[in-house]
Structures are given as structure tokens and as C-alpha cells.
Amino acid sequence: MKMTNEQKYRLIEQAEPGEIASLEEKVKQCHWRQTFHIQPPTGLLNDPNGFSYYQGEYHLFYQWFPLGTDHGMKYWYHLKSKDLVAWDSAGIGITPGDTFDSHGAYSGSALEHEGKLYMLYTGNTRDENWTRHPYQCMAVMDESGLITKWEHPVISNVPEGYTDHFRDPKLWKDGDSFYCVIGAQRTDRTGCVVLYRSTDLHSWQFEGELRTGLKSFGYMWECPDYFELNGSGVLVLSPQGLKPSGDEYHNIYQSGYVIGKPLNTETRTLEHGAFRELDRGFDFYAPQTMVDPQGRRIMVAWMGLPDIDYPTDPNGWAHCLTLPRELALHEGKLLQRPIPELTALRRKREDRVADTLSSERKTYQGFTGTAYELICEVDLLSAKAFGIEFRASATERTVIKYDAVSRKLVLDRSQSGEPVAASYGEVRQCAWDEDHIKLHLFVDTSSVEIFVNDGEEVFTSRIFPHPESDEIHFFADKGEALFQAVKWGFTE
């Protein structure tokens, strides 16, 4: 049952007696809880926020509504890690409910400066007519871990020409200036990104709109992120309102990027190539990046989408975050690779297989499980298709395959278990033109992340099979395929 606005915009301390304990009990009974992904203790998780490195640790926050699976009163929940793999809870990072974030501490980013971590976020407010008024607010974490919100917003109004859909500031520093991009909607209901500049993090000057080649591209751009990689400028954004086109834009909302020359902050011009989707799967949104001490550009995203019901909702929780991915630039395209630190998840047991399949489907000893890492390399000899069925049983399976006839990589979750957003389709695919394929799968209790040929393509999806659906099948259709595979379990 959906909550009323009054119920959705309560603080934790306004919960009814026993309400949180009841939610915790529901969560505990859920057989789709993840084993190695970040997930909320109760309630709803969405955008990653404040992804940063400070005081010798990685810091990652996420949007959190603790009292249900609606998008209600959002907190920033705080996690810390030494290695991006094992995350410790640091509890609530930013608590909403003050004048300028009365209806939620919405998304934002973080930047270390002079020994402190500055967190710029959107304060969500609603007036008596339920009209939205956003403010860009600052909170600062000191060396002891104490987070203090500034009393007044640093950007207190929306510039002329834009609606109150104005949020998700992403910070960076260049020379003596600080910049942030903010996702916006023009008054003609088209999406864009605007730029602000500051010399002290207190006073911010509106510079204007970024000039891109995406003139009319959806009705709102959420979660913008600008960075430079190998001398190129990259703008990541999550546009809402794109219509499906060929194999693209089939999810309710998309996330993607453009690459070009570095942003000219004086003219606000970004010369760039075509917009590309970051992920070919079903559940990927609102990515955020940071640079770590090794100089790597690392990205984490919300493994979920807004405005869609998920099978865990009745169990009192929803969503998780993706695994961290290192970004690399190759021939005008972003590659996403699972960070090497993730090998720490592997337990000693290692299963290997090498075989030639001839128009058949086979299983192998040791190749079962509900949470594991699997690397499979295949050469299509004469086969018209090769694929892997995982989280499979007599009645359920999720399928990743290469169709050599259509030259497409295909992810099919039509038989994955409990359906998700089936009205948006249950197959995702993209063009592919190589007969040697490396499939690198991270399968968790209710998700899969598939990296193809070291991150040239990625398919990220939630799946909701029964716990006993733990088989792995390898298959070749109408001809021969040579493959080898190695699997690591994540439990002893």
C-alpha cells in the first residue's frame, strides 16, 4: 500500500512505535537480500552521493528513505571503506528536516579541501501548496568524522529560465576555482546542465548553461558529472524522457555520456561526439564518479530506476548500488572494468572447465551457486549462438548470449523469476561484431553485472529468482563453440 505524503515525509524519530522493528523483521524474511552489494538496512536506497576519498578512506553515501520503499524523506546514509570492497556503516551522514531541506537531503557530491570534506547537496522543500523549492546546501565533515550543515544554502534560488527541477550538484576544482554542474529543466520542459563557479565554496556565481550538441534531449537531466580523462572532457548525465530507438533507450530513464574536448569554462562550451548509454541492461541509473589516490576514475551507480515497483517492496526494502568500476577511455568510448580489489571477494574454491560444445546445452560439476564470479571466454567456431544460462532451474533462467546471425549480444530476463517492469520489455541487446567473447559475470542473490571484453559493454540488472534456481548451463546452437570458464564462489 502506497504511503500518503504525510507518511512519506516523516523523520525516523516520527516513526510509529514498533514500525521500524516490523520493517526489520520483513527485511530479514526476504530471500533476495544481497551478499556482497551495498543495500539499505530497511526502506529505499537510491542515488550514490558524496563519493570521495578523505582521511585515508573511501566515503560513499546513498539516498535513503528508512521507513518504506516510496521516495519519501531522504537522508544521506554514510559508508566507509579502505578498499572499495568491504564497507563499514557510519550511520546517517546528513539528516534532513531543517528549513532548506525540510522534505529531504537530495543528491549531491563531495570534495576534500584544506583538510575537510565539503558536501554540496540539493535541499528539497515543499510549500503549503506542495510546490517544490530546491536549495543547494553545504555540509562539512571534519577530521573527527563530525558532519555539520551550514545554516543557509550556498545557492538559494533557481535562475530565470529554469523550473524547480534543479538538483544534483557535482563539485570539482580547477586551478583556484571551484565548479559545479547542476541538472536542470528549462521552462520549455527540456533538460540541460548549468554551471556555477566559486572561489571559496561559500559564494557561488551562476555562469550559465553548458553548451552541448544535445539540444532537445529529454525533459530533465539528472545527476550530471563532468570530469576529464586522458585529455578528453566527459559529461555523464541521466536524461529523462528519451524515446526508444533501435536497441537503445528502452528503460524508463537512461544514463549515458558524451566525450569531446575539455570543457571551456569561460564559454561553457563542450564540443563532443554522440551520446552513448553507459549500460545495456535493465537497472542502472544516477552514476557518480571520483578520483582515487592512484589517479583512477571510479564510478558507482544506483542499481535501480525511479517510478518502478520492485519485487522486494513488500519485504520493506528496495535497491542496491553497483560494484565500483574503473573507467578508461578507448577509441572515443568509456570502458568500465571491475576494480581489481574485487578479487578479495573470492574464496579458495575455484572451478574450471574447458570444452567444445556442438549444438548442445551442458552443465559441469562445481558450476552452481547464487553468488559468485564467473569468467568465460568463447570462440564461436561454426555455432550460430553461444550463451550462458545462470540462476537456472527447470522453470527459471537468466540468459546472456551472443547471436552470431543478428550480431547482437542479448540479455534475456523473461524467465528470471519475479518480473520487473515487464511493460518496458524483458530483453536488452546491443550490436556486437567479434567472434571471440569474454563474459565476466558478478552474480549476486538478486542481481547480475556482466562485463563484456573487459568493459567494452556492460549489462547490469536486478533479477528475482527462487533460491533453489542455482544452476549454470553453457550452450551452443547450430554448430560448434570452444569455451573455457572459471568460477569463484563468494562463500566458504
Side-chain angles (χ1 to χ4, degrees):
M1 192 170 66
K2 291 292 182 187
M3 292 181 164
T4 64
N5 283 336
E6 288 71 22
Q7 290 171 318
K8 285 197 289 193
Y9 289 93
R10 292 174 299 156
L11 295 164
I12 289 177
E13 46 270 27
Q14 295 169 317
E16 299 290 333
E19 183 178 357
I20 292 173
S22 170
L23 265 179
E24 288 172 341
E25 192 53 39
K26 274 188 186 176
V27 171
K28 207 184 294 178
Q29 303 302 319
C30 183
H31 59 242
W32 288 313
R33 289 293 278 176
Q34 300 276 60
T35 56
F36 60 93
H37 282 82
I38 291 168
Q39 60 192 343
T42 63
L44 179 136
L45 166 157
N46 60 302
D47 307 3
N49 294 158
F51 192 20
S52 52
Y53 189 83
Y54 174 66
Q55 295 288 308
E57 291 181 298
Y58 293 94
H59 294 263
L60 180 57
F61 302 79
Y62 60 76
Q63 291 281 284
W64 183 46
F65 174 52
L67 300 181
T69 57
D70 295 84
H71 286 270
M73 182 71 93
K74 298 291 178 66
Y75 290 71
W76 275 35
Y77 196 89
H78 185 192
L79 301 167
K80 297 191 296 185
S81 176
K82 296 284 190 189
D83 62 2
L84 291 167
V85 179
W87 293 91
D88 295 321
S89 168
I92 291 166
I94 297 177
T95 300
D98 295 320
T99 305
F100 300 105
D101 58 11
S102 60
H103 289 69
Y106 275 19
S107 290
S109 55
L111 182 74
E112 183 182 2
H113 179 60
E114 294 181 346
K116 294 183 178 176
L117 191 68
Y118 288 79
M119 292 171 277
L120 183 61
Y121 69 97
T122 299
N124 180 44
T125 70
R126 298 277 188 167
D127 64 19
E128 62 277 3
N129 300 315
W130 207 245
T131 302
R132 178 196 307 262
H133 297 287
Y135 298 91
Q136 312 311 316
C137 304
M138 190 75 81
V140 181
M141 180 159 62
D142 66 18
E143 293 177 8
S144 73
L146 179 69
I147 297 174
T148 307
K149 293 197 294 189
W150 287 358
E151 190 177 347
H152 295 286
V154 293
I155 300 172
S156 56
N157 51 20
V158 174
E160 198 174 333
Y162 303 94
T163 74
D164 285 328
H165 288 286
F166 193 82
R167 54 183 173 268
D168 313 333
K170 181 61 167 44
L171 277 167
W172 77 93
K173 190 179 184 198
D174 186 6
D176 294 330
S177 292
F178 300 94
Y179 293 93
C180 77
V181 281
I182 296 177
Q185 181 187 65
R186 304 181 187 101
T187 49
D188 68 359
R189 300 298 190 268
T190 56
C192 63
V193 167
V194 299
L195 181 69
Y196 280 79
R197 187 176 75 88
S198 174
T199 55
D200 59 5
L201 291 168
H202 287 261
S203 301
W204 288 85
Q205 175 72 34
F206 175 62
E207 296 290 297
E209 195 174 302
L210 286 199
R211 295 190 172 104
T212 72
L214 307 175
K215 296 306 178 198
S216 184
F217 199 68
Y219 59 77
M220 172 66 191
W221 292 3
E222 292 197 306
C223 303
D225 189 348
Y226 175 76
F227 55 89
E228 290 173 10
L229 196 58
N230 295 358
S232 294
V234 182
L235 178 66
V236 172
L237 60 144
S238 293
Q240 298 183 322
L242 302 185
K243 290 185 168 57
S245 172
D247 290 334
E248 298 187 312
Y249 314 151
H250 286 274
N251 295 330
I252 183 172
Y253 305 126
Q254 326 309 322
S255 292
Y257 64 93
V258 293
I259 293 178
K261 295 177 182 175
L263 173 67
N264 183 324
T265 52
E266 296 299 315
T267 65
R268 305 182 310 286
T269 302
L270 185 67
E271 294 180 33
H272 60 81
F275 177 85
R276 291 177 183 265
E277 285 186 273
L278 274 162
D279 198 275
R280 301 298 189 169
F282 295 87
D283 303 280
F284 181 97
Y285 197 68
Q288 187 169 100
T289 73
M290 57 86 72
V291 174
D292 79 350
Q294 301 169 48
R296 299 181 299 177
R297 176 66 59 173
I298 297 174
M299 179 177 74
V300 170
W302 171 23
M303 207 191 298
L305 285 165
D307 305 329
I308 280 176
D309 295 328
Y310 279 79
T312 60
D313 292 354
N315 294 104
W317 73 283
H319 309 306
C320 58
L321 296 181
T322 67
L323 296 172
R325 306 166 179 189
E326 182 181 354
L327 300 181
L329 198 55
H330 179 67
E331 296 179 351
K333 184 177 180 181
L334 280 182
L335 306 185
Q336 302 169 57
R337 295 172 175 146
I339 56 168
E341 289 93 328
L342 292 169
T343 56
L345 291 169
R346 298 172 181 171
R347 294 299 174 255
K348 284 180 182 173
R349 183 174 172 81
E350 184 181 304
D351 294 292
R352 290 183 176 271
V353 64
D355 202 356
T356 302
L357 296 177
S358 181
S359 304
E360 61 189 322
R361 172 180 277 91
K362 286 179 76 170
T363 59
Y364 299 88
Q365 187 173 351
F367 282 80
T368 59
T370 59
Y372 52 84
E373 179 184 358
L374 173 69
I375 298 175
C376 175
E377 296 205 50
V378 59
D379 286 291
L380 253 68
L381 302 177
S382 58
K384 297 292 184 277
F386 173 87
I388 307 170
E389 298 176 347
F390 55 95
R391 293 307 310 273
S393 64
T395 56
E396 293 181 341
R397 63 191 49 80
T398 303
V399 186
I400 180 73
K401 73 173 182 180
Y402 174 54
D403 185 324
V405 178
S406 64
R407 311 300 277 178
K408 297 274 176 84
L409 284 166
V410 182
L411 178 65
D412 184 341
R413 70 172 182 187
S414 60
Q415 298 177 73
S416 291
E418 203 63 35
V420 189
S423 61
Y424 290 93
E426 295 181 303
V427 172
R428 293 289 181 269
Q429 58 188 21
C430 69
W432 188 259
D433 207 18
E434 296 177 47
D435 285 342
H436 178 83
I437 306 162
K438 178 182 176 185
L439 298 171
H440 191 168
L441 284 69
F442 288 85
V443 175
D444 205 345
T445 315
S446 56
S447 69
V448 62
E449 294 171 70
I450 305 170
F451 299 85
V452 185
N453 284 29
D454 297 315
E456 286 187 43
E457 298 289 357
V458 189
F459 290 80
T460 301
S461 294
R462 299 299 303 277
I463 53 173
F464 298 93
H466 287 88
E468 60 272 17
S469 296
D470 65 352
E471 298 169 13
I472 302 171
H473 311 150
F474 298 89
F475 67 88
D477 288 344
K478 296 176 182 157
E480 289 192 336
L482 175 68
F483 83 98
Q484 55 184 340
V486 57
K487 172 187 165 287
W488 295 269
F490 289 158
T491 53
E492 295 293 356

